[in-house]
Amino acid sequence: MTMPTPFEPDAFDRITARLPHLSAWQAAWNQAADELNDMPLVEIYPEDIGRLAFELLPEHERDEALGALSYCWWAAMQNDREQLAAHTDKGEQP
């Protein structure tokens, strides 16, 4: 029985390992933003990009994207609370 040799990355693997890895949600968001920017709209809102991005996702990717969206919302709310508490502790008005 021979032992398998360890995987030796080639040049392509070494180069692409340093690139950022986009989630399906990030890729769909970028595509939606590009599509909306190409349209003659007066103003583009994050909700417009998000709705189109969600529609662009394959069905099996939507649960994970919804989880990421929920987490981001929660993190933003926590950040707002912490900022408000910091200002309140200093006696500042929000």
Side-chain angles (χ1 to χ4, degrees):
M1 180 168 139
T2 60
M3 295 295 290
T5 58
F7 172 74
E8 186 64 35
D10 61 10
F12 177 81
D13 294 324
R14 286 190 292 277
I15 292 169
T16 58
R18 288 178 265 169
L19 295 175
H21 297 278
L22 293 179
S23 68
W25 175 244
Q26 289 170 316
W29 181 277
N30 294 346
Q31 181 182 348
D34 289 344
E35 287 183 20
L36 290 173
N37 281 327
D38 290 341
M39 294 181 169
L41 300 173
V42 175
E43 192 169 355
I44 299 171
Y45 297 98
E47 297 90 358
D48 300 327
I49 300 171
R51 286 188 182 104
L52 180 56
F54 197 76
E55 291 171 12
L56 291 171
L57 283 173
E59 190 73 35
H60 67 278
E61 298 283 351
R62 291 182 180 176
D63 282 342
E64 185 177 338
L66 192 54
L69 181 61
S70 298
Y71 181 80
C72 289
W73 176 261
W74 175 83
M77 294 295 289
Q78 290 295 100
N79 186 52
D80 288 349
R81 288 184 186 125
E82 290 169 4
Q83 296 255 341
L84 180 60
H87 288 292
T88 303
D89 290 345
K90 294 179 182 177
E92 299 174 9
Q93 293 290 326

